[in-house]
Amino acid sequence: MKAVWVYSESDAVSNEVASAAVDVAKGAGAEVQVLELGAQRPGVFASGGKLLLKGPPSSPTPGAAAEAIARAARELQPIAILTGATRTGREVASRLAAKLRIGCIAEVSKLGADGESIFGERNVFAGKAVARVSCPFPAAATVKVGAYPRLAGGNGGLQEKDVGAVSDPVKVVAREAKSAGAVDLKSAKVIVSAGRGVKKKEDLAILEELAKEMHGALGCSRPLSADLGWLPEEHHIGLTGVTVKPELYLAVGISGQLQHVAGMKDSKVVASINTDKDAPIFQASDYGVVGDLYQVVPAIRKALAARA
Amino acid sequence: MAALDPVFAVAYAATVASVALVFLALALFARRGSVSLSPGRLVGLTKDEASRLGTGDAVFLMHLSIALGVGLSISYSLLDPALGLVPLLRTVILVVSLPLALGLVASFAWRVERFVSSKRVEKALGSPASFTTSSSYLQLILILAIALTTTELVLLWFPSLALAGAAVGVLRNVLVAAYYARPSVNLIGYFDKPLHEVRVPFNLADVMAGKTDPDSIRSGVSKASEFDAAERLSFDSCVEIGACEAACPATAAGRPLSPRVLVRKVSLLAGSGGPAVDPFASVGEDELWSCTSCGACVASCPVSVKHLDIVYDLRRGLVAQGRLDKKKSMMLENLAQTQNPYGFKNSTRAAWAEGLGVDTLAANPKAEYLYWVGCLSSFDQRAQRIAKALSTILKRAGVSFAILGGEEGCVGDPARRLGEEGRYQELALQNIEKLNAYGVKKIIATCPHCFNALKNEYPGFGGKYEVVYHTQLISDLIRQGRIKVPPEKVQSISVTLHDACYASRYNSVFDEPREALAASVADLREMHRKKEKTFCCGAGGSNYWYEVPQQKSISGIRTAEAAKTGAKTIATECPFCLSMLDDSTKVMDAAMDVRDVAEIVAECL
């Protein structure tokens, strides 16, 4: 029986990728097999069966995972190997493609297959267009995270395959958790950004709260991080800071110099609050409130609380 | 002097020999550095130095005291046997020696102060002991030479101590021959090299035309042996005077750069190692990125060391090795892809002009002036007001002008200052092609970086235009009565002008903005550092696009100076200065507003 393999380092993503694999298997007349490396993973579900590869460590580096999967694939000949488009998943898929000399379609959703090839859709030109891509079997693919529901249950039989000891020249020396205050502005969907309209450092708390209530992250303009040191450098959005493009960017008390605008101009929707009606930021905004942030922000928070 | 006294005869012979040594050293270094010591050069230098007398610049006056003090004491000692016959000449020399001795005493005090602060800077930079020792040695020699010359001038007054005077003079002459002949040659050779002149490592047009073999091109320096003879003469001429360090905004902000230390490090490196010494082993990347290219170091150096040549060549070396962080490479990528360093769609360049009735050159090819807007005034919503204000003024004065709109591309200055000469020349050639196709003759600029490139650099690539800075044109229009500020429209505000480096220091434009402001505001105040002695805003040399570690911000230092005048408005003449100082007033919560000269004038019409 032809098989579509699924691998992800994360249980949740593995279950998403398994949903995608079901569509591919249906089109190609194949069955889905979810891979487990080194040890069994009860949190990982499969509509078809599971395949436990023995030999690699239970949380392998991307290099070791790719080597173990490649060894098994050379023997068992799956028609497709799907990973999640995470940092690790991308590396595993591209290494597999290179090792097995097969094609790879990247960051795809809406996957499917016919008798000869796998296909899917991916965003191009910064989301302005969608490209349909396909690749003849055998192929690798990385599946866009968040595009599929997680598969739940359906564990079929468990097969085992010994691929031998796998070593990776890359050794994990230490693991360190990100500091609690670390922000990931680049992936935030909503960003509340503070400017010099904020009078003192303590007042940032209300914006931090607002960001939390909007499920977003807190950013700032250059003076707040570089000159005043109110927020760490990683919060600084602008020409010499981070470049972001969230769904919603709320600029609070930011005048809107190019130094700042260059870092957020590609945001989908920009709203701003400023006391100065001539503030340049309004020209870069879709919505604007001319008003004191100390009145407007509490009003927004109240409205959000009422809606919740 | 008893001419036949054998002791004095020996002393005189020693004096003559030591003076001969000085001239021998001058001739030697001149030959090695291919510098001409022709009377023409010497007359030129004398004229140049005389013309700077009026500026009252302290470092320059001290330099002059030392040079003339040495010259006078040498003359005295050579003329000594004849002076008994011409008592008047002796009196004249003695009288002249008085102000020089005063200048020397001041130099001595200043030099001791510089010594102390130089050690502080070296400590902050973490300079190795070997460097500190070598630097202290040179500085002490300088202090000694000043002390000896002062002593000699004082001893002239006491004929009974003539022998002691001769001994002091001989020792000083030996020091001059050993340490100061080379800087003198450098000064004679390069005193008139303009600050805006950038060394051009290759000509892209020649490469494209096949006239230059691309394989023969070397952009910048990656090995210490790659500095050429002129650069070597320049950095080897550093005698640790320390004027550059005192003037440098990067040093003042506690960035990892002192122009003095940089030049001396490079000199020691090139002098010590074999041909392949890696300059980046001792010169840090952030050290080079800390420079804002404001030119205060070069302008203040009494012996014409060209620090900026070294900075650019080493930056080019970093670029050639791809040692650029994301911010810098992104700026270069934007320049290639969008013709502006911010990544905006270049077709939206003229958005600021919508509804203002400003023509593009395509629509009005007969316009007298092209207004070269520049990227910041095109895309920065705040700086767009400068472009709007200038348009208002020009329209009011009936000046015929047009813009390039979406056809304008970055002038290239950020790429050149970053060390990406190829990208710079590419942009320059593209722009020149367009300008020449339109037959442009006269250009107005509101950005001093554009102004400097268009005026001084483009001619070398085939773009020859009459380029005028907006403050020059505005002051002309006021003088000619083509725009008038009625008395009731004069603003009753206090204003201080922040001169932009590339307008004032690089291009001597500093009287015109003052004239324009004097006609428009009631109270014009001056900062201590002004005109060609201005202090950088911190954005030049591509610094606008990246950050370097620092103790305080350069713009903060400058804004504090402006605040000290008590003025409520800072007038700027450059969109980058405006952006930097505007941010700083907000950071400091200073109740000052920052506006371009054009904005202030336009409000009065």
Side-chain angles (χ1 to χ4, degrees), chain B residues 1-14 163 166:
Chain B
M1 181 197 282
L4 293 177
D5 185 326
V7 178
F8 282 95
V10 168
Y12 189 70
L163 211 54

Side-chain angles (χ1 to χ4, degrees), chain B residues 7-8 55 86 116 154 158 176 183 210 247 289 320 331 339 346 378 430 489 498 527 540 542:
Chain B
V7 178
F8 282 95
T55 62
V86 198
V116 174
V154 171
F158 308 99
V176 169
W289 300 128
M331 187 263 273
Q339 281 73 56
N346 213 44
S378 297
Q430 285 168 5
K489 286 278 189 91
H498 162 73
M527 288 184 259
S542 294

Side-chain angles (χ1 to χ4, degrees), chain A residues 24-36:
Chain A
V24 176
K26 207 181 284 166
E31 62 165 9
V32 176
Q33 275 187 316
V34 174
L35 301 185
E36 293 177 325

Side-chain angles (χ1 to χ4, degrees), chain B residues 152-185:
Chain B
E152 201 186 348
L153 288 189
V154 171
L155 288 177
L156 297 184
W157 291 81
F158 308 99
S160 60
L161 297 173
L163 211 54
V168 168
V170 168
L171 178 57
R172 196 272 329 282
N173 291 348
V174 170
L175 288 183
V176 169
Y179 293 97
Y180 304 110
R182 180 155 48 193
S184 305
V185 166

Side-chain angles (χ1 to χ4, degrees), chain B residues 126-149:
Chain B
S127 302
S130 57
F131 178 86
T132 307
T133 311
S134 149
S135 146
S136 300
Y137 171 77
L138 260 191
Q139 295 195 50
L140 291 173
I141 294 281
L142 179 56
I143 293 171
L144 178 64
I146 296 170
L148 288 174
T149 307

Side-chain angles (χ1 to χ4, degrees), chain B residues 24 53 162 172 252 260 292 341:
Chain B
L24 200 69
L53 264 176
R172 196 272 329 282
R260 171 186 65 89
T292 66

Side-chain angles (χ1 to χ4, degrees), chain A residues 141-164:
Chain A
T142 63
V143 178
K144 192 175 174 182
V145 178
Y148 282 91
R150 288 173 196 168
L151 195 70
N155 278 342
L158 176 75
Q159 291 179 25
E160 288 186 11
K161 171 86 197 153
D162 195 340
V163 293

Side-chain angles (χ1 to χ4, degrees), chain B residues 369-389:
Chain B
Y369 283 97
L370 166 70
Y371 170 27
W372 184 275
V373 185
C375 301
L376 201 54
S377 294
S378 297
F379 296 110
D380 180 21
Q381 308 283 359
R382 171 65 189 87
Q384 285 179 356
R385 291 179 202 165
I386 303 171
K388 289 177 188 168

